[in-house]
Amino acid sequence: LNSCLGKMQPGEKRLARRLEALLEDDYLCWYELPVGKRQRHTDFIILHPGRGLLLLEVKDWKVDTIQSIDPVSVTLLTNRGVVTSGNPLEQARQCTYQLINQLEKDPQLVRHSGRYQGRLAFPYGYGVVLPNITRTQFDTNGLGEVLPEHQVICRDEMTESAEAEAFQKRLWDMFNVGFNCQLTLPQIDRV
């Protein structure tokens, strides 16, 4: 963590500290790792041997700076004026699928028979962290119409007083599909 803190935005630092404090030692976390041929970066990648892989995009937005948001883009009021960028959930989704496509090329990480032959042997998910927006602000400003509630962690869900179990549940609720898995040490090394 200490090697990354200097590069992180405030919300990323806050999430990193929450991850360090609230996740057990069997979790692995990476920050700003390039993914895929297009070398996209996602803010955090989390791996748990019994849960799978989770990619998170962190946005330090405040609710009053969001001018508009749709499934593809968001328009923000910034110090530089009005700026349009990609929807963070779509960014996380694209990074996730680029990473999954890359991992599915490894025979040690895929299922070898059955209906899902050739697919990853472990679940994956993606989501967004909004460290400056509370769940109430998220709900009252209609952000849930574009960012599904189960794929978002808000400010009040990652406080220093947050319970580890509740925080981890928020993380793993971001998976759209889940199934039992137990990655072996060689598989974890391959990831």
Side-chain angles (χ1 to χ4, degrees), residues 63 66 68-71 87 130 133-149 152:
V63 74
I66 301 171
S68 66
I69 186 168
D70 63 45
N87 178 309
L130 301 172
I133 297 176
T134 66
R135 181 59 65 178
T136 300
Q137 290 172 321
F138 179 86
D139 291 338
T140 57
N141 286 281
L143 296 176
E145 295 172 21
V146 177
L147 303 171
E149 179 207 336
V152 177

Side-chain angles (χ1 to χ4, degrees), residues 25 105 127 188 191:
D25 291 340
K105 294 176 183 172
I188 292 169
V191 173

Side-chain angles (χ1 to χ4, degrees), residues 118-130:
R119 305 296 289 272
L120 272 188
F122 51 92
Y124 55 89
Y126 55 92
V128 175
V129 179
L130 301 172

